[in-house]
Amino acid sequence: MAERFRLTLAQLNPTTGALAENAAKARAAWDEGRRAGADMVALPEMFLTGYQVQDLVLKPAFTADAMAHVEALARDCAQGPALGIGAPFAAHGHLYNAYYICQNGAVAARIFKHHLPNDGVFDEMRVYDSGPINGPYAVGPLRIGTPICEDAWFEDVAEALAETGAEILLVPNGSPYYRDKFDRRLSIMVARVVETGLPLVYLNLVGGQDDQVFDGGSFVLNPGGQLAVKMPVFDEALTHVDFTRTPQGWRAETGARAVHPDAWEQDYRAMVAALGDYLRKSGFSRVLLGLSGGVDSALVAAIAADAIGSENVRCVMLPSEYTSAASLEDAAAVARALGCRLDEVPIDGPRAAVAEALAPLFAGTAPDVTEENIQSRLRGLILMALSNKFGEMLLTTGNKSEVAVGYATIYGDMAGGYNPIKDLYKTRVFETCRWRNANHRDWMQGPAGEVIPPRVIDKPPSAELRADQKDEDSLPPYPVLDRILQGLIDNEKSVADLVAGGFDRETVQKVERLIHLSEYKRFQSAPGARLTPRAFWLDRRYPIVNRWRDPT
């Protein structure tokens, strides 16, 4: 009879800092693996602490507590399969991102991450020491090499493990989502398999943490790059993978291969998952938002309903004299279609009171954007009052186009705790609304069908802070603006590059100026779901005070 090895992959969602809760989830996964006859149960990178812990791991008491939880897990999981789990390790003045192998009631091996990512959302060089390249460890009949996440993006760690006797590669990851990232992961892991000739297991986290969403999508490759197992994206899952020793070495038996949805659905799922986990992990069960009758707030309301259920979403219409009858009707239609509560709080009275209070100081000046912003800030004040009174987190509703050029009022419509569409350009907002109207999935807690009336999507965008106002009074048309923003922000192109591509120089320079002038607003803005490799926050770190402008 051929030798066999069963590896249980636990693609699970930890909560950062919840050590006991995460340990309990690991123990439950181990129990399920034991019942299934597993030889080893594996959890992802830094699962015990959650990921990323950032500077929290620099607190000695936290790291000591995490290490103590690993030791307790090892004792609790003595009679059964080995357990692999990610957690920090500190000793002799060094701190490592580590992967622990627990067997027979003790920690049998510790693997230290060698390549520390220092780009995008990662700055692990700030907090961890680079560990040596470890050799493989034995579990039953199998010698396993474990490159930790970034280690597998380089040739050297996997090659060293193969040369020192590893028979399969187990890669635990905390790899956050961005659009189309699965294909990039897969191509890099195929390269490691081709170079080493070894089967490879890619095990990833799921769940939201602040702005990042870990999308799972774990998989197993056999030599030659053949896909043996493919796990779902965004869902927690346990999968038992059976390996058999053949004359050519160990091979994974073919198992379930999940079909992943397209980029539109994955983006939407990421926004829903990010919001749902942000609320659950921070202790909120209800939200509110200002529902203006516009497309952005309508999409945020839909995301919120899908994340936590329509009954937990309060929408508030805050009309002024500039609010059109159509906007009132559209807001009501969105709330009705979603099944959300809709309150109406007119701001004319508070606005008149503020105008009266400021009249002596404003005497002799002409009305301008100041008066427009007072309206927005009164709305923010009222929404924050409702948030405080009823314990509902306020959601902000600015898309990436607006966030980029500062087309939002600080302490006004920017007030709030989370922004689900922060990394979604306006043109994608329109298409995402259309996608949601045409699609419903089991993971959506909101209703099926057309939840955003087409009139909301199709009408010209307006902040409605003055008579007959349209966004295009101040900004280029969104199809033009978004292409310029993608060039300047996502691709770091120069003004000259974009002009050479056919854009008007004056328009590009205006947009570039607005991006730089708005840095202080973004610095104070709410976090939001990361959908691209150039999301605002950790992906793009610019100085707030910056006098440089592109001279080209």
Side-chain angles (χ1 to χ4, degrees), residues 61 98 122 129 321 335 352 395 437 474 532 537 548:
F122 297 102
D129 293 303
E321 64 180 284
L395 303 181
N437 280 345
S474 305
T532 69
W537 193 31
W548 184 84

Side-chain angles (χ1 to χ4, degrees), residues 45 51 97 113-120 122 124-125 146-158 171-176 181 184 188-189 192 202:
E45 176 184 17
Y51 194 63
N97 177 332
K113 194 171 185 177
H114 178 66
H115 291 289
L116 302 177
N118 198 49
D119 57 354
F122 297 102
E124 290 201 350
M125 290 183 181
T146 292
I148 300 174
C149 199
E150 188 82 357
D151 289 341
W153 288 59
F154 296 87
E155 299 177 10
D156 56 346
V157 175
V171 186
N173 294 269
S175 179
K181 191 173 185 181
R184 187 175 181 210
I188 291 171
M189 295 308 115
R192 299 292 88 81
Y202 184 99

Side-chain angles (χ1 to χ4, degrees), residues 86-343:
F89 178 77
H92 310 299
H94 293 285
L95 176 61
Y96 300 105
N97 177 332
Y99 198 70
Y100 292 74
I101 310 304
C102 304
Q103 297 186 81
N104 303 316
V107 174
R110 298 183 190 90
I111 310 302
F112 302 141
K113 194 171 185 177
H114 178 66
H115 291 289
L116 302 177
N118 198 49
D119 57 354
V121 297
F122 297 102
D123 52 4
E124 290 201 350
M125 290 183 181
R126 171 184 172 85
V127 292
Y128 298 112
D129 293 303
S130 172
I133 297 179
N134 300 94
Y137 51 89
V139 179
L142 191 58
R143 289 178 62 77
I144 302 172
T146 292
I148 300 174
C149 199
E150 188 82 357
D151 289 341
W153 288 59
F154 296 87
E155 299 177 10
D156 56 346
V157 175
E159 286 182 353
L161 287 165
E163 290 169 359
T164 52
E167 295 171 295
I168 71 167
L169 299 175
L170 168 61
V171 186
N173 294 269
S175 179
Y177 173 81
Y178 59 70
R179 196 174 301 137
D180 300 323
K181 191 173 185 181
F182 178 84
D183 291 340
R184 187 175 181 210
R185 294 175 185 141
L186 184 61
S187 66
I188 291 171
M189 295 308 115
V190 167
R192 299 292 88 81
V193 169
V194 170
E195 292 157 4
T196 62
L198 300 178
L200 183 146
V201 178
Y202 184 99
L203 175 60
N204 196 22
L205 288 168
V206 289
Q209 171 59 33
D210 296 344
D211 66 318
Q212 295 166 47
V213 184
F214 299 94
D215 54 319
S218 305
F219 56 89
V220 180
L221 296 169
N222 271 322
Q226 290 89 6
L227 189 65
V229 174
K230 185 180 178 185
M231 294 175 70
V233 286
F234 298 106
D235 290 321
E236 289 192 307
L238 256 72
T239 296
H240 309 297
V241 182
D242 290 318
F243 289 86
T244 303
R245 190 191 292 276
T246 73
Q248 294 75 37
W250 290 90
R251 296 293 183 268
E253 296 181 7
T254 300
R257 285 176 281 192
V259 177
H260 292 178
D262 65 19
W264 290 98
E265 180 170 340
Q266 289 198 41
D267 270 10
Y268 191 80
R269 182 77 186 272
M271 291 184 286
V272 170
L275 176 60
D277 271 358
Y278 190 78
L279 294 169
R280 178 179 61 84
K281 293 177 180 181
S282 57
F284 284 84
S285 59
R286 297 177 59 84
V287 300
L288 80 155
L289 66 138
L291 192 66
S292 67
V295 68
D296 297 316
S297 60
L299 180 57
V300 170
I303 291 168
D306 286 334
I308 59 174
S310 303
E311 69 279 8
N312 296 310
V313 180
R314 181 203 298 260
C315 300
V316 186
M317 177 39 131
L318 300 122
S320 74
E321 64 180 284
Y322 301 118
T323 303
S324 67
S327 291
L328 290 167
E329 294 166 4
D330 291 344
V334 170
R336 186 167 55 249
L338 286 170
C340 300
R341 173 175 176 169
L342 178 63
D343 294 317

Side-chain angles (χ1 to χ4, degrees), residues 373-393:
N373 287 343
I374 286 171
Q375 298 172 64
S376 181
R377 290 184 176 121
L378 283 171
R379 290 181 172 124
L381 183 152
I382 291 167
L383 291 169
M384 282 304 304
L386 291 170
S387 175
N388 293 158
K389 180 62 70 174
F390 299 107
E392 299 164 348
M393 179 177 284

